Amino acid sequence: MARSGKVTVVGAGFYGSTTAQRLAEYDIFETVVLTDIIEGKPEGLALDMNQSRPIEGFETKVVGATTGTDGSGYEQTADSDIVVITAGLPRKPGMSRMDLIETNAKIVRQVAENVAKFSPLAVVIVVSNPLDEMTALAANATGFPKRRVIGQAGMLDTARFTHFVAEALGVPVASVNTLTLGSHGDTMVPVPSACTVDGKPLSEALDQATIDALVDRTRNGGAEVVALLKTGSAYYAPSAAAARMAKAVAEDSGAVMPVCTWVDGEYGIDGVYLGVEAEIGAGGARTVVERKLTDTELAGLKEAAEAVRAKQADVANL
Ligand code: APR
């Protein structure tokens, strides 16, 4: 099998290491590079992952690299086709994603500047929180074309929604299609009109009160995991989502996924990073796919756009 390309995952914490492992196990990349500022951690994890190759049956090589905030070590990431940025603090119980903004802005800015320097043609996938703001900041700090920087949130929120619906109905997750748009936070916009169970509208399978409760649980899906873990936040479902986005970029598949991308005119919304569906390919988000929304859903999306727009303006100065 032909393997090609280089993908770097910045941050070898829970999210970054599980993402790197998933990417390696796809067995489509020549190299997966995992970096962190904690000396030895990425090298140790890379060694461990490489030793899983004979068991899992993949040939992709994993390279660990300790980096400094001065950019040292980034030469090992040079000319990556894709960079996934997971560096940053996760939430603690009771925290909102927005509570991380100042700390993570500094980290993501420094990472993004080095990514731009060493991998000027990369597609950047941001997952650090608060997601919509960190995606905007990474785009700004890299100076890359806006659609070449995308954020992961919608795939995860949608997967959570799908899981909850499937569990409530006792049906396979494969029978359920759901969708969430908007921000990765309080102004997340679940789109019931796009949700189906075995091809039939969700409203025929569940009553409105149950749908509302599942929507609420989806909106608080991350916080529910954080409260149970007590230290750290979710990473299995998040890394699955980020890795699938990277795969779509690597394969130039054109898969339509809910992602955080630059919206400029679509849905009547101007100039903001927002969760919408987009075709994902070699250059990042090829095009935003607009679907027919109900008036309530569209109003929710516009409200989300204005909420993240204000915050995205703030991060320019962080
Ligand atoms: N460069 C590289 N790595 C960094 C940097 C930096 N400048 N600053 C911090 N890191 C690393 C930390 O050393 C740590 O290993 O980022 C890693 C973060 O890992 P975890 O604390 O395990 O957090 P994780 O669960 O992986 O979440 C990472 O994703 O979902 C979001 O909110 C979450 O912002 C958080 C991010």
Side-chain angles (χ1 to χ4, degrees):
M1 194 180 114
R3 286 166 207 86
S4 63
K6 178 172 178 178
V7 54
T8 288
V9 180
V10 180
F14 287 111
Y15 200 148
S17 55
T18 42
T19 302
Q21 186 188 11
R22 290 185 193 284
L23 291 170
E25 287 181 359
Y26 288 156
D27 206 17
I28 60 169
F29 295 100
E30 191 69 43
T31 314
V32 174
V33 182
L34 180 63
T35 76
D36 205 286
I37 50 169
I38 300 176
E39 202 183 340
K41 187 176 183 185
E43 290 84 350
L45 290 170
L47 183 60
D48 192 9
M49 284 178 208
N50 281 325
Q51 291 166 356
S52 76
R53 296 188 309 150
I55 304 167
E56 281 299 318
F58 63 94
E59 295 290 340
T60 295
K61 300 243 170 33
V62 186
V63 175
T66 302
T67 56
T69 45
D70 58 354
S72 58
Y74 270 85
E75 60 283 352
Q76 300 209 59
T77 72
D79 299 321
S80 293
D81 303 289
I82 304 167
V83 178
V84 184
I85 301 180
T86 79
L89 300 193
R91 282 193 276 177
K92 294 196 174 74
M95 279 174 101
S96 83
R97 293 185 179 95
M98 207 49 86
D99 293 335
L100 301 168
I101 194 164
E102 293 209 3
T103 313
N104 284 354
K106 289 189 181 66
I107 295 172
V108 170
R109 179 177 297 285
Q110 176 265 316
V111 168
E113 285 169 0
N114 283 309
V115 168
K117 193 164 149 200
F118 287 88
S119 298
L121 300 177
V123 171
V124 175
I125 300 172
V126 180
V127 313
S128 310
N129 275 312
L131 189 274
D132 307 274
E133 289 72 16
M134 293 305 115
T135 306
L137 187 148
N140 188 281
T142 53
F144 285 0
K146 290 203 152 47
R147 290 270 169 88
R148 192 133 67 76
V149 181
I150 47 184
Q152 188 299 113
M155 286 276 284
L156 168 63
D157 295 330
T158 296
R160 285 179 170 151
F161 195 10
T162 296
H163 163 71
F164 291 142
V165 169
E167 199 182 41
L169 289 168
V171 300
V173 285
S175 313
V176 180
N177 272 309
T178 68
L179 181 64
T180 66
L181 303 175
S183 79
H184 189 45
D186 294 340
T187 46
M188 184 187 300
V189 185
V191 185
S193 71
C195 300
T196 57
V197 179
D198 283 326
K200 299 199 189 72
L202 179 60
S203 54
E204 288 180 17
L206 289 170
D207 60 57
Q208 196 54 46
T210 308
I211 295 174
D212 290 346
L214 298 182
V215 161
D216 225 48
R217 196 168 172 202
T218 301
R219 193 172 280 125
N220 297 312
E224 186 178 352
V225 176
V226 171
L228 288 165
L229 293 180
K230 296 183 186 70
T231 57
S233 53
Y235 50 96
Y236 284 112
S239 63
R244 284 288 153 175
M245 285 169 64
K247 188 168 189 265
V249 172
E251 294 178 336
D252 192 24
S253 73
V256 175
M257 301 175 165
V259 300
C260 175
T261 187
W262 182 248
V263 176
D264 200 12
E266 294 86 0
Y267 293 110
I269 295 168
D270 288 327
V272 68
Y273 275 93
L274 187 65
V276 289
E277 289 166 284
E279 237 179 67
I280 305 301
R286 282 187 198 158
T287 175
V288 169
V289 178
E290 275 185 90
R291 68 163 63 228
K292 189 144 178 44
L293 299 176
T294 65
D295 290 348
T296 314
E297 291 160 353
L298 184 60
L301 191 60
K302 290 189 167 170
E303 193 189 317
E306 292 324 307
V308 292
R309 185 194 305 284
K311 283 284 173 196
Q312 286 175 20
D314 292 349
V315 290
N317 306 311
L318 291 178

